[in-house]
Amino acid sequence: MGLFDQVVGAVMSGQATEGAGNPLLAGIMQLVNDPQTGGLAGLVQAFQNGGLGDIAKSWVSTGQNLPISAEQIQSVLGSSGILQSLASQFGLDSEQVSGQLAELLPQVVDKLTPNGAIPESNDLVAQGIELLKGKLFG
C-alpha cells in the first residue's frame, strides 16, 4: 500500500462514521494516481480513445467543464473493468458508479489540473489530499 493509499484510508476512516463526503471520491483519487492505468494522463487518454476527448480536455483546461453522462462513462470505462472494480469496492452496481462518476469526475479532474495541464504524479498526491480534505471537512 502506497503513502497516498494510507493517507486516503486514514482520512476516509476518520470521516466514515460521520457520514461526510463521498467514498467514491477516494476511489477516483486511487484511479488518477494508479501507475498501472497511467494515472490521470491515462484516464484522460481513455476518454480520448473512446471518442470523448473534447469532454475530457474541457476538464483539464481552465475553461468551462463539459458534462458527461453515465452512459458515456460506461462506454469508456466499462470494458476496462474499472467500473466493476469500483462497484465491488464500494458495494454499488456499475450503473450507480457510472452515475456518480459522471458527477464527480469532471470536478476532480478540474481541481487536479488548475493550470490547464496534467501535473506530475507527485503533485497529484498533494492536490488529491487537499481535495479530499475540502470535500470531507469543508
Side-chain angles (χ1 to χ4, degrees):
M1 179 183 294
L3 175 63
F4 180 77
D5 294 331
Q6 292 172 354
V7 171
V8 168
V11 170
M12 293 306 295
S13 66
Q15 292 300 309
T17 56
E18 298 172 22
N22 185 329
L24 191 54
L25 183 60
I28 293 171
M29 293 311 304
Q30 290 171 350
L31 178 63
V32 300
N33 282 290
D34 185 353
Q36 291 181 341
T37 60
L40 181 56
L43 182 64
V44 170
Q45 184 63 47
F47 282 94
Q48 289 173 343
N49 294 344
L52 300 173
D54 289 342
I55 291 174
K57 285 179 187 176
S58 77
W59 306 339
V60 174
S61 75
T62 57
Q64 181 74 23
N65 291 337
L66 294 175
I68 190 164
S69 70
E71 293 77 20
Q72 289 170 312
I73 294 280
Q74 288 175 352
S75 74
V76 172
L77 301 179
S79 62
S80 67
I82 291 171
L83 290 180
Q84 294 79 6
S85 174
L86 289 172
S88 65
Q89 184 177 354
F90 296 103
L92 303 169
D93 64 39
S94 61
E95 290 175 4
Q96 290 172 309
V97 169
S98 60
Q100 289 185 34
L101 283 178
E103 292 179 28
L104 290 172
L105 201 52
Q107 297 173 48
V108 169
V109 173
D110 183 60
K111 297 292 185 203
L112 293 175
T113 58
N115 299 319
I118 297 173
E120 296 296 320
S121 61
N122 290 344
D123 294 337
L124 280 178
V125 173
Q127 291 174 348
I129 291 169
E130 291 304 312
L131 179 63
L132 281 171
K133 285 179 185 176
K135 291 285 186 186
L136 297 174
F137 301 117

